[in-house]
Amino acid sequence: MYPAPAMRMDGQTGYNCAIFRNESKRRSSDIILEAEALAVAKWGPGRMYTYIDPRRILSPNPGYCFKVAGWRRVGVSRGGKHLLAKEADVGG
């Protein structure tokens, strides 16, 4: 989703991946890259971000699928969620 910056209490800007769950046999990172391409096609190049709650993830590396897709951990929320972000360009 592309929320208006004035609506964000955390100061984040860009495309927010608010919900992601892979229940298919496809690689999660491939699905994320596909979603990035769709967002860029709809809204143009820009920053993408998401929060990962490590307490709700079974992996010892929270956000691993996003990291494989090129996202980087850029911070931690007051509640302990990992903030991951990526600058999306025309190439994804």
Side-chain angles (χ1 to χ4, degrees):
M1 64 185 207
Y2 188 54
M7 297 177 67
R8 298 288 312 181
M9 296 180 72
D10 59 5
Q12 297 301 315
T13 59
Y15 313 137
N16 177 240
C17 178
I19 299 172
F20 179 77
R21 181 181 177 113
N22 182 3
E23 295 183 348
S24 73
K25 292 185 180 191
R26 295 179 59 201
R27 287 184 356 167
S28 294
S29 57
D30 289 341
I31 297 170
I32 292 165
L33 290 169
E34 187 177 312
E36 289 176 21
L38 292 169
V40 168
K42 182 171 184 164
W43 297 306
R47 179 177 184 266
M48 300 183 177
Y49 65 97
T50 192
Y51 287 97
I52 306 292
D53 188 341
R55 297 166 296 192
R56 298 184 57 121
I57 303 295
L58 296 176
S59 170
N61 188 358
Y64 177 75
C65 58
F66 283 90
K67 294 171 186 174
V68 169
W71 296 53
R72 301 286 173 249
R73 184 171 155 186
V74 296
V76 179
S77 74
R78 285 180 279 195
K81 294 179 182 176
H82 297 189
L83 173 60
L84 280 69
K86 178 180 182 181
E87 286 294 328
D89 57 23
V90 177

